Amino acid sequence: MFFVGGEFGTLNEFTSAWLSGNKVLGVLEGSGGVTDQLRSLVGTIQSNWDNVVLFDSSPERLVERVCAEIDARYATIVPATEDERHQDVRDFVQRFLVQEGV
């Protein structure tokens, strides 16, 4: 799951994902809004939810890091090729970049 910019709704989505546990969460830093505050917030909270939160200021690098973490967690469960596993994520990021004119 990826988080970009946002307001209270984004914070709510982040906490909902966090509380469901065992997630890989990607936060695009420098995109403004609540996502620019999440690193300090996550750093102050003790948790046993088994989440991994990855922060990066590069959308492409963030996608690669999230995909690598997902691969590490689920490679033995998901028999698809790496390209098939990541295509939906890459499509989403590409649509976002086009919409935002990045």
Side-chain angles (χ1 to χ4, degrees):
M1 184 169 253
F2 292 91
F3 298 92
V4 179
E7 297 178 7
F8 286 106
T10 302
L11 180 59
N12 183 50
E13 291 168 356
F14 181 85
T15 56
S16 293
W18 180 278
L19 291 173
S20 65
N22 198 30
K23 297 281 189 269
V24 179
L25 308 173
V27 177
L28 185 62
E29 291 184 303
S31 59
V34 73
T35 57
D36 285 344
Q37 307 303 316
L38 289 177
R39 182 185 290 269
S40 62
L41 180 62
V42 169
T44 62
I45 298 172
Q46 294 282 333
S47 174
N48 295 321
W49 290 102
D50 197 29
N51 294 303
V52 172
V53 183
L54 301 172
F55 297 91
D56 210 307
S57 60
S58 163
E60 296 84 2
R61 200 169 44 236
L62 181 61
V63 168
E64 291 303 320
R65 292 179 60 208
V66 167
C67 289
E69 180 64 30
I70 291 170
D71 281 348
R73 287 177 168 224
Y74 304 109
T76 59
I77 300 170
V78 181
T81 66
E82 177 182 344
D83 212 37
E84 291 168 332
R85 288 191 303 268
H86 300 164
Q87 191 58 48
D88 287 342
V89 174
R90 289 189 181 102
D91 289 345
F92 171 80
V93 170
Q94 185 60 37
R95 283 193 305 272
F96 170 77
L97 293 175
V98 168
Q99 283 179 336
E100 295 299 314
V102 178

